[in-house]
Structures are given as C-alpha cells and as structure tokens.
Amino acid sequence: MFLFTARFSLTASETETFSDGLSVERKRVKPILMASNSDMGSADFESLSSTSDVELLKRAWRNEKAAPEILPYEGDLVERAKGQIELVEGNIEDYVENGMDPLVVSLYQMDLDRTQFLLRSYLRVRLLKIEKFMFHTLKSEEAESRLSEQEKVFATKCVADLAKHFEESVLIKLRESYRSVLKQSLISEEDDMVPEPHLDTFVVSRSNSHVTLNLYEEGESHQIVEMYRGDVYFIRYKVAKGAIESGKVDLI
C-alpha cells in the first residue's frame, strides 16, 4: 500500500500542460512536500506524515474531544488550516473552469472536505465545552487563558445571557438570599453551583516519546510509570495533563 502526504505553500504562478494539450495556470497553491513510504524509510515517512498540518489538526481534534477540560487554543494551526482551505478552494474552482478531469477534481474536493470537517469539529467541540463550563472558564485565569479572543467574547456573552434568563424567569421569584446564579445561598463561601471539569476522569492515552509520569498527586502514594513511544495507557487525565499539553502524549 502506498501512502502520500503533501503540504502546500504560496507560489506566484505555475502553468502545467496536460497530455491532451490543456494548460492550467496555478496561482494559489503548490505542493512543496510529497513522498511515499516506498521512497524513504518507514520511520522517516511516519515522522513526515505526523507533522503535516492535517495530521496536527487531527491530533488537536482528538485531544480536544477526549479531554475533560478545554485545551490551549491552537491558533497558529487554525489560521494555517483556514488559509490552506481558501487556497485549495480557489484551485478547485480553477480546475473546474479549465476542464480538468472530474475524477482528479473530486479527489481534491474529498481532501478539502476532510480538512474542513476536522477544523469545524475542532472549533465546535471547544464551543460545547465553553457552554458547559462557561462560569468556571471565566472565573479561572488558567482556563480563560486557553481561549481565543473570539471564544472569550462568546463565553462572556453566554454568561450574560444565561444569567439574565435565570434572573428574569426563576431567581426573581425566590427570596433574596437564593437569587445568586453562582451560589446556592448567600451564606455559601464558594461558588458551589458552578460546574467544573472532572480532571480525575480516566482517558486512553498514547505516548509519542519516552515520558515518566507520577500516577498520584503530592501527598499520595508515590508510583512512577514510564511510557515509551507507542505505549497505550488507561490513565487519569490529571496525571497526563502536562504531557498532553507538551505533545508527548496524545489522547485517543
């Protein structure tokens, strides 16, 4: 089986003439990296394919779906993906206008659809987490720092709208001591009505490199586990959190 990977970059213009005499001018995007596992070692090919933007986006999407909390926003990756989507969309339009083989066009379109799905799903999963933990996200500096500027605006708007809805429909009918959106009553010392992510949730993780993890927190029993490249563990998210954010461990 032959596997191929490609990256694209801006190019001024390039004209390609096909066997039937048709010439197509490519103005937007040009493949700058393409290889098959028959041309290079399997380790090199695996390293090459795992660092393409599509693979990085797929990894970010999987991690975001499996993690109980919102992860740091992959801003640079998202912008690159959006740029490449726009470029490929323009190329496909040119190919259609110039009468390229419909089969070739459909292959480009399939690859484009896959990338669009990954990007949309990644952003949608993040929005669902923001909606679920909106009060916690804005209350926690660490969680808020993981949002993009647009996500911060969305979270703030969600909090304002939900608080207004509760106040006008329910809280106004309760006694003053029970009208807080965040606390069960005014005597509560903490915001005990704010849902938070359960970091003790068990997740399935796969190691990308050798990493050592302490299975317990400070003050608990001390037990170390060493994960090697390719190892799969069912482990508490809190234990692997740092390794996930650093890219040493992925969630599956």
Side-chain angles (χ1 to χ4, degrees), residues 24 36 45 48 57 73 81 108 114 124 150 153 160 187 193 197 208 237-238 246:
V24 177
S36 72
F45 179 78
L48 181 67
L57 184 59
Y73 179 63
Y108 276 99
R114 178 184 65 163
R124 189 178 295 115
Q150 294 91 337
V153 173
I187 63 174
M193 292 183 64
N208 296 319
Y237 170 79
K238 185 186 297 184
S246 65

Side-chain angles (χ1 to χ4, degrees), residues 147-171:
L147 306 182
S148 67
E149 292 304 317
Q150 294 91 337
E151 288 172 338
K152 290 179 182 178
V153 173
F154 175 75
T156 303
K157 181 67 173 175
C158 281
V159 167
D161 288 346
L162 187 62
K164 181 180 179 181
H165 171 69
F166 282 160
E167 289 168 359
E168 294 179 351
S169 61
V170 178
L171 299 180

